[in-house]
Amino acid sequence: MTCGLEPVYRHIDENLGVHLAKIQQFLRQPSISDDGTGIHDCAELLRSYYESLGAQEASIVRTDGHPGVVAWYDAGASKTIVNYCMYDVMPVEGEQWISPPFEANVVNLEGVGRAIVARGAINSKGPYRAWLNALESIIAVNGKLPVNVLFVAEGEEELGSPNFSQVVDSVSDRLKDADAVLNCGASQDLSGNVEMFLGNKGVIDFELRASGKRWGRGPAEYSIHSSNKAIVDSPVWHLVKALSSLTSDDGNRVAVEGFYDDVAPPSEEDLELVSRLEAEFEPAMWAKKYGVSRWMNDMPKRELLENYLFSPTLNITGIGAGYTGPGCKTILPHEALAKFDMRLVRDMKSADMLPKLRKHLDARGFSDVEIRQLSGYEWSRTSHKSEVVQAVLSVYHDYGIKPLIWPTSGGSAPMYLFTREPYMLPLASAGIGHGARAHAPNEYYVVESIGKIAGLAECEKFFVDVLYRFASS
Amino acid sequence: MTCGLEPVYRHIDENLGVHLAKIQQFLRQPSISDDGTGIHDCAELLRSYYESLGAQEASIVRTDGHPGVVAWYDAGASKTIVNYCMYDVMPVEGEQWISPPFEANVVNLEGVGRAIVARGAINSKGPYRAWLNALESIIAVNGKLPVNVLFVAEGEEELGSPNFSQVVDSVSDRLKDADAVLNCGASQDLSGNVEMFLGNKGVIDFELRASGKRWGRGPAEYSIHSSNKAIVDSPVWHLVKALSSLTSDDGNRVAVEGFYDDVAPPSEEDLELVSRLEAEFEPAMWAKKYGVSRWMNDMPKRELLENYLFSPTLNITGIGAGYTGPGCKTILPHEALAKFDMRLVRDMKSADMLPKLRKHLDARGFSDVEIRQLSGYEWSRTSHKSEVVQAVLSVYHDYGIKPLIWPTSGGSAPMYLFTREPYMLPLASAGIGHGARAHAPNEYYVVESIGKIAGLAECEKFFVDVLYRFASS
């Protein structure tokens, strides 16, 4: 749809069979970060993709966990983009699939259309390989890409990217000269609509653990017979009391002193974007999607949006103690565990938060309750006025799509490694096409256009357009 | 050791090899109530034991769960005892044994001596079959037992005896005419000392469950992405708050209104027994045994004993919600579960307790939190002045053993079905010999005398003595 790019589009159309096969090849290579299955082979495969694209450098980056892959494609262009990739996928254990998860067959899905069914189909190997296909077609026709590209890939996204900073650090010199981050995916829903997120919340994943051993009360080493409760303290009750101290009675307002201190109020741009969202956002649809019959505090739409976008949270993701199977075991457990994620919004400093929690617990007789951080991201935000976002939006516009723009997602991602100090890169995600069932059985990525959903060829052409639009912006 | 019983003792000595083989036979027949393995065959085997003893009636009792076994041995005697048996055992899954758990080999255990190693060796099939051996020797020599015996056996003790009342009900007519309950085991510890428990606490096992579905808030059907915590209530926090409301800050005093209303203070007899216990009981030994470095409220010995014996408890046996494995999952769980046992002391009425809990929760905004009872026993108590207890004590005395008498155990058992309305039978447990590691790998039952621990022959003779002592008392 961009004048002068017709030969590239034609190349895509003429090579669609090959392009589909390349996506299938990528998906047929397992890369389960949870247990490491296929991770090294997949990293090598991805490296070979960058190499055959013509990247001058393409290498595996060792980390304390699964390897990263980085590549540098120097087009001699004035602009440089950074392109993020996660090449790992979720496990499939115990799941029933209509087509084996690593066969990547094209299946006719009722109500959806023809799609590749595979683990990683939509999250994220399917669209990512489509993006590489688009780059190959550009190079095949025009000899080179219109921008320099720094590829940065990790194999631990599904684990919370614990070592991604090591991958990023390995290319810090190139990052200093980059202009923007451009991430490519497939973001249409079943109706063809697109959402764009201009940032994400920070997050701290951590555990609180009460144990008789650390407490110096209760059973120290193992669960004991519950008759002892009459004379022995319970680490489980101890943890319950510690947890209960952390929030208001409804579990929604965090009671840790100073928790909200640095929370930035929404900016003017934020409020403007929320007003636009308000016109489109339908709480009832969301409530249905998530199986929620009433929102917290029965909030009206505007408040709901502002809370979702701009409020930090303290959420219990799991609690475990003693025996929870069928029937009963007469035990007094020696320890209890709670797992949390704490979401952070703009201007909150992740380094401050667990010390505040520590202080809160210490002041209330819970100095023995152990805090263990599991992982953490900082928040990330990009202005919708940035060049890369505007370039992406203008291409969507060409395709007749008006994305719903969210100033931030409610979730978290390691994008702060690019968008915050020292690189301060603006970031945009782009892509049409559709897939779903990430982390679930029968994950898919649509390959043949149906209704308003783009097929594979159109998805690839869109990537071509975005790249040239940004190059010329 | 009782004059005139020498021929019976001799019969035991002469048949010890056969008696040992019968114990091994009983142990080699699995009877795992958890998954039902061997349960029906074991019930039939036990029934055949009663039959070959000469019981006029011996039958399997169908229940809603695993079958019971009852038998009636009419000696034409003036006295009738009831004898309880649990024929089921714990599972062995995932355990490492020095000798296969259902081979019942005699093994030389370091620091212990020669013992049968088997699942159920001490809990309770080993000593129970030794008791039947003793009865067989009496009948072989004297033609019949000195008392009538009503045998009542269940195959679900390890499951909390959910259907034992059905077994008891099937023999209610005979129970009305019985004089006492006499249960036989092996109660010596490694030093040869014996403890006797004259009762047990009641118990209610139950669950509290918070779910988005019942609450009408939070996710209703499944865990959702934790970013939603900013606008969606959490059933996990809801349960934490409900739990926290149930006790004092230290988790030790129950805050449910009326919880302590019916608690009987210790009787004069209780206090007298506690004074005797006080002289023998060593808190430091117990603390070491249970891996507890400090007692609740740093109680001194006397208070410790009184609390252990006469205080009701509310103990969390397990909590489960969301994900508690390694790493983190970014979920907002749709439900949370806590499992409890509540121990009841004399005069507390189990039927009152969960309604009181319900009222407490309802009054605090937790009317949606579901209470589900899993099982329950009433408390049971027997006076140490009762004939059957005195008979057992006098035989211990003959053997040079002065049992440590506990007015009640801190644990629970279904004995109230015999000792409370309508039967009101006094109950005693009797037996020398030693075994250990119940519910654990390498469970054993000593067969050759070592130090102050009785061997198999002496154990069986003790049972003979107890039976005749009670008959003539």
Side-chain angles (χ1 to χ4, degrees):
Chain A
M1 310 242 243
T2 305
C3 208
L5 292 176
E6 293 82 358
V8 179
Y9 301 155
R10 203 156 47 236
H11 189 273
I12 288 171
D13 288 330
E14 286 167 3
N15 289 276
L16 203 60
V18 178
H19 284 191
L20 177 62
K22 286 185 174 178
I23 295 174
Q24 288 174 310
Q25 181 201 37
F26 197 30
L27 289 169
R28 283 171 186 159
Q29 170 58 55
S31 52
I32 302 171
S33 45
D34 189 55
D35 63 2
T37 303
I39 280 288
H40 285 86
D41 288 342
C42 194
E44 182 49 44
L45 183 61
L46 183 57
R47 199 197 63 77
S48 76
Y49 289 163
Y50 296 138
E51 205 168 52
S52 61
L53 210 58
Q56 288 84 348
E57 300 161 17
S59 55
I60 304 287
V61 181
R62 287 190 188 200
T63 73
D64 292 341
H66 299 321
V69 186
V70 295
W72 170 240
Y73 181 98
D74 187 347
S78 62
K79 282 192 174 161
T80 297
I81 64 157
V82 179
N83 173 242
Y84 168 81
C85 166
M86 58 178 276
Y87 71 82
D88 63 321
V89 299
M90 290 289 282
V92 292
E93 226 172 291
E95 297 181 356
Q96 293 292 324
W97 288 64
I98 52 167
S99 167
F102 295 107
E103 281 192 10
N105 293 314
V106 176
V107 174
N108 202 28
L109 293 181
E110 211 174 311
V112 176
R114 287 179 67 76
I116 306 180
V117 170
R119 172 54 82 230
I122 180 65
N123 179 28
S124 301
K125 288 156 84 178
Y128 190 75
R129 182 59 242 196
W131 151 251
L132 296 185
N133 291 341
L135 300 185
E136 285 187 357
S137 283
I138 293 173
I139 292 165
V141 173
N142 292 340
K144 61 177 184 176
L145 299 177
V147 297
N148 312 315
V149 184
L150 176 64
F151 297 96
V152 187
E154 67 163 325
E156 298 188 312
E157 202 274 348
E158 298 294 6
L159 305 180
S161 306
N163 302 295
F164 185 50
S165 65
Q166 296 171 29
V167 184
V168 172
D169 286 349
S170 76
V171 289
S172 60
D173 286 347
R174 300 242 183 258
L175 281 166
K176 282 173 195 152
D177 297 328
D179 298 290
V181 182
L182 180 65
N183 294 338
C184 292
S187 54
Q188 287 185 292
D189 66 16
L190 264 178
S191 313
N193 298 322
V194 166
E195 292 181 310
M196 230 177 130
F197 299 92
L198 299 181
N200 54 257
K201 291 186 180 178
V203 72
I204 302 174
D205 292 289
F206 67 97
E207 296 176 348
L208 292 187
R209 188 183 296 267
S211 76
K213 192 164 198 168
R214 280 177 66 98
W215 193 17
R217 294 188 166 275
E221 301 289 351
Y222 39 81
S223 294
I224 64 175
H225 194 272
S226 66
S227 59
N228 288 292
K229 183 65 203 79
I231 51 173
V232 175
D233 298 280
S234 162
V236 185
W237 278 119
H238 193 53
L239 185 70
V240 164
K241 296 291 175 174
L243 296 183
S244 185
S245 78
L246 298 176
T247 70
S248 55
D249 285 347
D250 61 6
N252 294 332
R253 176 94 189 160
V254 182
V256 174
E257 201 187 327
F259 182 81
Y260 295 96
D261 278 359
D262 296 324
V263 173
S267 67
E268 261 187 57
E269 183 181 323
D270 288 338
L271 293 173
E272 186 193 315
L273 288 171
V274 172
S275 296
R276 286 197 225 164
L277 270 176
E278 210 182 339
E280 303 283 337
F281 176 69
E282 293 193 33
M285 291 285 288
W286 252 43
K288 199 177 161 194
K289 176 177 170 189
Y290 286 113
V292 171
S293 51
R294 291 175 70 176
W295 297 109
M296 180 191 295
N297 301 326
D298 301 312
M299 286 187 275
K301 193 201 278 195
R302 175 87 194 190
E303 206 183 331
L304 210 53
L305 280 169
E306 293 195 5
N307 263 276
Y308 182 73
L309 296 168
F310 310 122
S311 286
T313 60
L314 181 61
N315 175 55
I316 300 178
T317 60
I319 306 189
Y323 173 78
T324 55
C328 39
K329 285 196 178 171
T330 51
I331 54 170
L332 166 50
H334 65 299
E335 60 179 5
L337 170 78
K339 294 174 89 93
F340 293 83
D341 57 16
M342 183 192 278
R343 304 263 175 194
L344 309 176
V345 299
R346 191 164 53 197
D347 291 355
M348 290 176 87
K349 293 161 201 74
S350 75
D352 291 353
M353 303 315 292
L354 295 187
K356 285 178 183 178
L357 177 61
R358 180 74 275 160
K359 205 172 153 194
H360 170 100
L361 292 172
D362 289 352
R364 283 158 186 81
F366 302 112
S367 55
D368 59 289
V369 173
E370 187 183 5
I371 304 176
R372 192 163 80 93
Q373 179 164 356
L374 299 171
S375 60
Y377 299 155
E378 305 286 341
W379 54 267
S380 169
R381 298 290 289 275
T382 289
S383 166
H384 89 289
K385 289 164 189 155
S386 65
E387 222 173 40
V388 68
V389 172
Q390 288 298 317
V392 171
L393 284 173
S394 79
V395 177
Y396 276 126
H397 183 264
D398 289 353
Y399 281 72
I401 292 170
K402 202 181 161 217
L404 201 59
I405 302 176
W406 296 75
T408 176
S409 113
S412 304
M415 294 306 123
Y416 73 97
L417 290 168
F418 302 124
T419 63
R420 302 274 303 274
E421 294 285 354
Y423 311 116
M424 301 299 280
L425 299 173
L427 179 150
S429 296
I432 53 177
H434 168 70
R437 300 188 195 141
H439 299 202
N442 303 324
E443 180 176 351
Y444 68 85
Y445 175 44
V446 169
V447 291
E448 260 182 36
S449 173
I450 176 168
K452 290 180 174 175
I453 297 175
L456 180 58
E458 211 179 357
C459 290
E460 296 188 5
K461 292 171 191 171
F462 183 93
F463 292 139
V464 172
D465 292 331
V466 166
L467 206 62
Y468 278 94
R469 190 72 47 92
F470 178 64
S472 65
S473 65
Chain B
M1 308 244 242
T2 304
C3 209
L5 292 176
E6 293 82 358
V8 179
Y9 302 155
R10 205 157 45 236
H11 189 274
I12 288 172
D13 287 331
E14 286 167 3
N15 288 276
L16 203 60
V18 178
H19 284 191
L20 177 62
K22 285 186 175 180
I23 295 175
Q24 289 174 310
Q25 181 201 36
F26 197 30
L27 290 169
R28 283 170 186 159
Q29 170 58 57
S31 53
I32 303 171
S33 44
D34 189 54
D35 63 2
T37 303
I39 280 289
H40 285 85
D41 288 342
C42 193
E44 182 48 46
L45 183 61
L46 183 58
R47 198 197 64 77
S48 76
Y49 289 163
Y50 296 137
E51 205 168 51
S52 60
L53 209 59
Q56 288 83 349
E57 300 161 17
S59 55
I60 305 286
V61 180
R62 287 191 187 201
T63 72
D64 291 342
H66 298 322
V69 187
V70 295
W72 169 238
Y73 180 96
D74 188 346
S78 62
K79 283 193 176 161
T80 297
I81 64 157
V82 179
N83 172 241
Y84 168 81
C85 166
M86 58 178 276
Y87 72 82
D88 63 321
V89 299
M90 289 290 282
V92 292
E93 226 174 288
E95 297 180 356
Q96 293 292 324
W97 288 63
I98 53 168
S99 167
F102 295 107
E103 281 192 12
N105 294 312
V106 176
V107 175
N108 200 29
L109 292 181
E110 211 174 311
V112 176
R114 288 179 66 74
I116 306 180
V117 170
R119 172 54 82 233
I122 180 64
N123 179 26
S124 302
K125 287 158 84 179
Y128 190 75
R129 183 58 242 196
W131 150 251
L132 295 185
N133 291 342
L135 299 186
E136 284 186 359
S137 284
I138 294 173
I139 292 165
V141 173
N142 292 340
K144 61 176 183 175
L145 299 177
V147 296
N148 312 315
V149 185
L150 176 64
F151 297 96
V152 186
E154 67 162 326
E156 297 188 314
E157 201 276 349
E158 298 295 5
L159 305 179
S161 307
N163 303 294
F164 185 49
S165 65
Q166 296 170 31
V167 184
V168 172
D169 286 349
S170 76
V171 289
S172 60
D173 286 347
R174 300 241 181 258
L175 280 167
K176 281 174 197 152
D177 297 328
D179 297 292
V181 181
L182 180 64
N183 294 337
C184 293
S187 54
Q188 288 187 292
D189 66 17
L190 263 178
S191 313
N193 299 320
V194 166
E195 292 182 309
M196 231 179 128
F197 298 92
L198 299 181
N200 54 257
K201 292 187 180 178
V203 70
I204 303 173
D205 292 290
F206 67 97
E207 296 176 348
L208 292 187
R209 189 184 295 268
S211 75
K213 192 165 198 167
R214 280 178 66 100
W215 192 17
R217 295 189 165 274
E221 300 288 351
Y222 40 79
S223 294
I224 63 175
H225 194 273
S226 65
S227 59
N228 288 292
K229 183 64 203 79
I231 51 173
V232 176
D233 297 280
S234 161
V236 186
W237 278 120
H238 193 51
L239 185 70
V240 164
K241 296 291 176 176
L243 296 183
S244 184
S245 78
L246 297 177
T247 70
S248 55
D249 284 347
D250 61 6
N252 294 332
R253 176 94 189 159
V254 182
V256 174
E257 202 188 326
F259 182 81
Y260 295 96
D261 278 358
D262 297 324
V263 173
S267 67
E268 261 186 57
E269 182 182 324
D270 288 338
L271 293 173
E272 187 194 315
L273 289 172
V274 172
S275 295
R276 286 197 225 164
L277 270 176
E278 210 182 340
E280 305 282 337
F281 177 70
E282 293 194 33
M285 292 285 287
W286 251 43
K288 199 177 163 197
K289 176 177 169 189
Y290 286 114
V292 172
S293 51
R294 290 176 71 176
W295 298 110
M296 181 191 294
N297 300 327
D298 300 312
M299 285 187 275
K301 195 203 275 196
R302 175 87 194 189
E303 205 183 330
L304 211 52
L305 280 170
E306 292 195 8
N307 263 276
Y308 181 72
L309 297 168
F310 310 122
S311 287
T313 60
L314 181 62
N315 174 55
I316 301 178
T317 60
I319 306 190
Y323 173 79
T324 55
C328 40
K329 285 196 178 171
T330 51
I331 53 170
L332 166 51
H334 66 300
E335 59 179 5
L337 170 77
K339 294 174 89 92
F340 294 84
D341 56 17
M342 182 192 278
R343 304 260 176 197
L344 309 177
V345 299
R346 192 164 53 197
D347 291 356
M348 290 177 87
K349 293 162 202 72
S350 75
D352 291 353
M353 304 314 292
L354 295 187
K356 285 178 182 177
L357 177 62
R358 179 75 275 158
K359 205 171 154 195
H360 170 100
L361 292 172
D362 289 353
R364 283 158 185 81
F366 303 112
S367 55
D368 59 288
V369 172
E370 187 183 4
I371 304 175
R372 192 162 80 92
Q373 179 164 356
L374 299 171
S375 61
Y377 299 154
E378 305 288 342
W379 54 268
S380 168
R381 297 290 288 276
T382 289
S383 167
H384 88 289
K385 290 166 188 154
S386 64
E387 221 173 41
V388 67
V389 173
Q390 288 299 317
V392 171
L393 284 173
S394 78
V395 176
Y396 276 126
H397 183 263
D398 290 353
Y399 281 72
I401 292 170
K402 201 179 161 220
L404 201 58
I405 301 176
W406 296 76
T408 175
S409 113
S412 305
M415 293 307 122
Y416 73 98
L417 289 168
F418 302 125
T419 63
R420 303 275 303 271
E421 294 284 356
Y423 311 117
M424 301 298 279
L425 298 174
L427 179 149
S429 296
I432 53 177
H434 169 69
R437 299 188 194 140
H439 297 203
N442 304 323
E443 181 176 350
Y444 68 85
Y445 176 43
V446 169
V447 291
E448 262 183 35
S449 174
I450 176 168
K452 290 182 174 175
I453 296 175
L456 179 58
E458 210 178 357
C459 290
E460 295 188 7
K461 291 171 192 172
F462 183 93
F463 291 139
V464 173
D465 292 331
V466 166
L467 206 62
Y468 278 93
R469 190 71 47 93
F470 179 64
S472 65
S473 66

